[in-house]
Amino acid sequence: MTLPRRDPRQERIVRNRRHPEHDRLMDDQGAGAAMVTWTGPSGVRRCDPHRCGFIGPNGIKRIDRGGSQQPMGNAAPSAGRQQPTAQRRHIEIESPAFLVTVVPDMPGGRLSSHDRDLLGLARQLADADAQSPGAVLAIVMGAHKETQWGDAGVDRLMECGDSALEGYAPEARLGALEAVERELAPRFWLLPDAATGGADLGRRLAARLGERPVTGLWSLESAPETAQGWRCTTRGGAGSLDIQRPLSRVILALEECAEPVSETHHAASVLTLSHPLLPLLSRIEDQGRVPVDPASIALAEAEFILSAGNGVKDWEGFHHAARVLGATEGASRVAVDDGFMARDRQVGATGTWVTARVYVAVGISGAIQHLQGIQRCDKVVAINKDPDCDMIKRADLAVIGDAGEILSALVARVEQEREEQRDAA
Amino acid sequence: MPHELTKPASLTVAVLLSVGRHPVTGRARRADQDARGLELALSLSAARIELVHAGPFDDACEASMRGYLGMSSGYTETGADSVTLVEQPSQADVLPALSHALSESLAPQLVIAGERTEQGEGSGMLPYQLSESLGWPIVGGIVAVEAVDEGVATLLQALPRGQRRRLSVRLPAIITVNATATSPRQSAFGPARRGTLAVVEQPAVHDEAQDEWHVEPARKRPKRLKIVKSTSARERFKAAAAKSDGGGGQVLTDVTPDEGAAAIHKLLKEEGVLR
């Protein structure tokens, strides 16, 4: 029989972390790893402050009590960015009890925030009964660039890439929706009540199906006593009235009608119609876009803005570039104050809050007021000399260099391409 | 003049009018979009214009109809000095009566309407239902009628972001007028008094669905809150203190101006903003 022997000297060294032999002894015992964190007698998680934590960016040791200990260095941001998709719960609905069809507008080929809100509303309708969930079907007409269908909350995706559906083809699109109605008979039809197309198409669909649609919906609540099981609040009378009414099959919803999907990831499996679409003889013919003078477009609704700041020296070149690119001109406050641009061209908190799809900031360092003004822009391109300015952090594409030279190179490139097209034609 | 005799009104245009509502005072007025529609009709040369309204015949109706007549009734050669008033009770579905009046008695080639009414449900469905019941094509968001030639109208359609698109549509057709169309001329008092209202009786269909609705003045929509889904204090702090950086942006340093321009050109082409 061996008696457990204590080594008072070793215990003393373990207690004294300044002892030269402390580290070696801890490693030998293997106690180091085990004793970094433990659960205290009252159930609280304890940790040894000397043996956990990491060195923060400014050289000070940090202890992360949130539990998600991140190693120091460059790994942190990328891990942080991937987390949202990794954490999402994956949901697959094999045999849905019913279908909720969403026809997103997709301006510029991507889901807009309105479309995402609409998909969130569709999820509310589909997931109301956990025993027999419905599936959300998204119908995309024409070409698109969207890839994040699952994260947006789409269970089934139907892509109608027919060339007859491109451009303004409301009758052909209505024909496609009718084919879906005949074959799949969805319980709800959801469209955005927006000038980008959904308002027109949704009303056509409602008239064709003989349904009285709910238009301008902005709030939805469960009401089992009604036919569809839902009540809603809609805007009527040019925005002056709130109408509470039962829900109907065809729904045209306003922006922010629901929260977009953020916690789940859906299958977005591809669905196709069994019959190809029949060609229709359309009475409406699209003759294409009419060139509009970009300078006449209000800054707030311009699609493509070329904006100038303090870094622009060659103003003639800037105006020429805007003309060649077909962009609406904008300016930062400095450029306006210095008298180079008109006051109504100012972008930012004191000027106009713009909603452009593409915003090119030339020589703008990005004051916070200016960045507020471009919050709702999709793609921001920055051309700047200073690689550390705030605009570069906001930009999707940043080019460091002299603004005048890059602009003139861009103009030369565009003009050359147009020349080639003219020669080919 | 012989020239006018050889060229009678080749086109009959019906303009659908509604009773508007002043956004601040709530008084009846000419509806803005319908007035723009009438302005569009008046801009068409050699067109006969029929003004049509369906609804109850009361003071508000008369006031707003005279608002339209003040725009148009000076032009007697167009026939726009009289409103055909299809009388219907206030809670009626005006679609059958209006559809009957358009197809049987007025027979226009082009119907111009506003996008939404300023009172009541304002769903904007009426032109679409008319299109369905008459079997005529409908085009929305029109700002100008450029030409009418051999039964085909060339139209200019407003798109979001100030863009315009040219369309051609086979007549008879229904168009709705966008809010960016030419603003209506002033309504003149004298012509407004001289214009006439021709009341037409039509059987009414009661709109039953509206009986179970609850209508109240619009309240302000709740502002969307930034929802922070977090389990720990650290995450909440990070969300509150986060600096808005776009993240994932591509930064090109040490490139020649030509390479930089190439990268920007590629992005502009991908986004489809270069035309």
Side-chain angles (χ1 to χ4, degrees), chain A residues 145 200 203-204 208 212 235 237 242 244 255 258 262 283 285 287 355 396 398 400 417-418, chain B residues 120-121 123 128 132 135 138 161 166 168 207 214 216 219 221 224 229 250 252 269-270 275:
Chain A
K145 302 177 209 155
D200 182 60
R203 286 180 173 84
R204 281 173 199 274
R208 181 60 55 87
R212 183 174 199 151
R235 272 285 138 93
D242 269 346
Q244 284 172 18
E255 221 163 337
S262 62
R283 292 167 293 182
E285 192 188 336
Q287 299 189 349
T355 57
D396 299 277
I400 312 297
E417 194 193 56
R418 293 212 176 128
Chain B
E121 189 189 355
S123 66
Y128 290 89
E132 203 61 37
I138 178 168
R161 302 189 176 280
R166 190 167 287 134
S168 62
D207 184 11
H214 177 68
E216 57 187 26
R219 63 198 152 101
R221 282 181 63 181
R224 174 177 275 179
K229 292 196 188 77
Q250 184 192 2
L252 301 178
K269 290 216 75 156
E270 274 171 10
R275 294 207 177 81

Side-chain angles (χ1 to χ4, degrees), chain A residues 54-312:
Chain A
F54 55 94
I55 306 298
N58 45 7
I60 298 175
K61 186 168 180 180
R62 296 286 179 204
I63 296 170
D64 182 355
R65 295 183 191 279
S68 57
Q69 282 239 346
Q70 287 176 348
M72 52 185 289
N74 303 335
S78 67
R81 211 165 282 161
Q82 279 164 8
Q83 259 173 3
T85 46
Q87 282 175 356
R88 285 185 175 218
R89 205 165 70 246
H90 188 80
I91 290 181
E92 192 144 354
I93 297 170
E94 292 292 339
S95 49
F98 57 94
L99 280 178
V100 179
T101 309
V102 177
V103 188
D105 267 351
M106 321 223 14
R110 294 202 186 82
L111 286 175
S112 65
S113 64
H114 195 166
D115 294 336
R116 288 178 193 278
D117 295 346
L118 201 66
L119 285 164
L121 186 73
R123 283 253 67 93
Q124 271 187 33
L125 291 169
D127 299 339
D129 186 3
Q131 261 69 51
S132 56
V136 174
L137 164 69
I139 302 178
V140 194
M141 289 183 277
H144 68 88
K145 302 177 209 155
E146 184 61 48
T147 51
Q148 307 278 313
W149 291 106
D151 285 349
V154 176
D155 295 310
R156 305 278 187 275
L157 180 66
M158 184 181 289
E159 289 167 296
C160 307
D162 205 323
S163 64
L165 302 175
E166 297 283 350
Y168 186 69
E171 289 174 324
R173 290 183 175 216
L174 182 59
L177 297 189
E178 266 190 289
V180 173
E181 166 75 18
R182 275 195 303 274
E183 194 168 320
L184 301 170
R187 186 180 288 182
F188 293 108
W189 282 96
L190 269 73
L191 292 100
D193 201 352
T196 41
D200 182 60
L201 189 61
R203 286 180 173 84
R204 281 173 199 274
L205 179 71
R208 181 60 55 87
L209 300 183
E211 296 279 345
R212 183 174 199 151
V214 168
T215 57
L217 177 143
W218 62 271
S219 154
L220 183 72
E221 58 202 27
S222 175
E225 74 278 5
T226 59
Q228 299 281 4
W230 298 91
R231 286 189 77 77
C232 60
T233 311
T234 65
R235 272 285 138 93
S240 64
L241 297 175
D242 269 346
I243 304 171
Q244 284 172 18
R245 57 194 276 192
L247 199 64
S248 64
R249 274 192 72 207
V250 181
I251 301 158
L252 286 107
L254 294 177
E255 221 163 337
E256 301 195 2
C257 53
E259 289 295 330
V261 174
S262 62
E263 284 180 334
T264 50
H265 178 87
H266 295 262
S269 52
V270 174
L271 195 68
T272 46
L273 287 175
S274 54
H275 305 293
L277 294 177
L278 296 173
L280 276 171
L281 191 66
S282 178
R283 292 167 293 182
I284 304 168
E285 192 188 336
D286 187 355
Q287 299 189 349
R289 295 282 184 96
V290 179
V292 180
D293 178 17
S296 69
I297 301 173
L299 201 54
E301 60 168 4
E303 187 173 28
F304 176 26
I305 297 179
L306 187 70
S307 196
N310 204 20
V312 175

Side-chain angles (χ1 to χ4, degrees), chain B residues 8-22:
Chain B
S10 55
L11 181 73
T12 310
V13 181
V15 184
L16 306 188
L17 307 175
S18 65
V19 179
R21 177 186 176 279
H22 193 279

Side-chain angles (χ1 to χ4, degrees), chain B:
Chain B
M1 286 177 283
H3 178 71
E4 284 200 356
L5 283 175
T6 52
K7 202 181 172 196
S10 55
L11 181 73
T12 310
V13 181
V15 184
L16 306 188
L17 307 175
S18 65
V19 179
R21 177 186 176 279
H22 193 279
V24 179
T25 62
R27 278 167 61 171
R29 59 160 193 180
R30 55 174 186 170
D32 182 62
Q33 287 185 345
D34 293 338
R36 283 174 202 269
L38 179 52
E39 184 65 47
L40 182 63
L42 289 170
S43 74
L44 297 170
S45 59
R48 185 179 163 72
I49 300 175
E50 299 280 357
L51 307 179
V52 190
H53 169 72
F57 184 31
D58 52 15
D59 287 351
C61 168
E62 178 155 5
S64 58
M65 288 309 125
R66 294 220 174 270
Y68 297 111
L69 283 172
M71 293 168 65
S72 68
S73 78
Y75 305 88
T76 42
E77 73 280 3
T78 62
D81 53 351
S82 170
V83 174
T84 307
L85 207 152
V86 182
E87 196 173 357
Q88 296 275 297
S90 63
Q91 280 266 311
D93 181 6
V94 300
L95 177 72
L98 203 55
S99 165
H100 182 264
L102 284 176
S103 59
E104 300 297 321
S105 56
L106 301 172
Q109 278 109 50
L110 188 66
V111 178
I112 302 178
E115 280 181 342
R116 320 260 163 100
T117 53
E118 296 177 2
Q119 290 189 339
E121 189 189 355
S123 66
M125 275 303 287
L126 182 85
Y128 290 89
Q129 283 171 333
L130 269 181
S131 143
E132 203 61 37
S133 72
L134 298 173
W136 297 354
I138 178 168
V139 189
I142 298 300
V143 290
V145 177
E146 292 187 321
V148 181
D149 206 17
E150 294 180 354
V152 176
T154 310
L155 311 169
L156 206 58
Q157 186 185 38
L159 299 178
R161 302 189 176 280
Q163 301 294 312
R164 297 281 184 271
R165 178 158 56 197
R166 190 167 287 134
L167 303 168
S168 62
V169 62
R170 188 156 288 283
L171 298 180
I174 302 174
I175 62 176
T176 64
V177 179
N178 188 266
T180 56
T182 318
S183 52
R185 64 191 70 185
Q186 275 195 330
S187 178
F189 183 76
R193 304 315 302 172
R194 286 194 289 279
T196 53
L197 302 172
V199 179
V200 179
E201 297 280 344
Q202 280 283 338
V205 180
H206 184 67
D207 184 11
E208 286 160 7
Q210 280 198 36
D211 294 343
E212 51 179 314
W213 294 359
H214 177 68
V215 182
E216 57 187 26
R219 63 198 152 101
K220 211 171 172 191
R221 282 181 63 181
K223 215 174 164 188
R224 174 177 275 179
L225 296 173
K226 202 167 117 191
I227 298 176
V228 180
K229 292 196 188 77
S230 58
T231 47
S232 68
R234 180 170 181 273
E235 277 170 38
R236 281 194 295 277
F237 176 75
K238 265 172 74 178
K243 245 179 129 180
S244 67
D245 52 340
Q250 184 192 2
V251 181
L252 301 178
T253 37
D254 299 329
V255 289
T256 63
D258 214 39
E259 287 167 359
I264 296 172
H265 187 226
K266 184 159 159 274
L267 185 136
L268 297 183
K269 290 216 75 156
E270 274 171 10
E271 291 298 318
V273 289
L274 283 184
R275 294 207 177 81

Side-chain angles (χ1 to χ4, degrees), chain A residues 362-375:
Chain A
V362 186
I364 298 177
S365 59
I368 188 77
Q369 291 87 348
H370 193 86
L371 292 181
Q372 279 175 353
I374 62 169
Q375 257 172 3

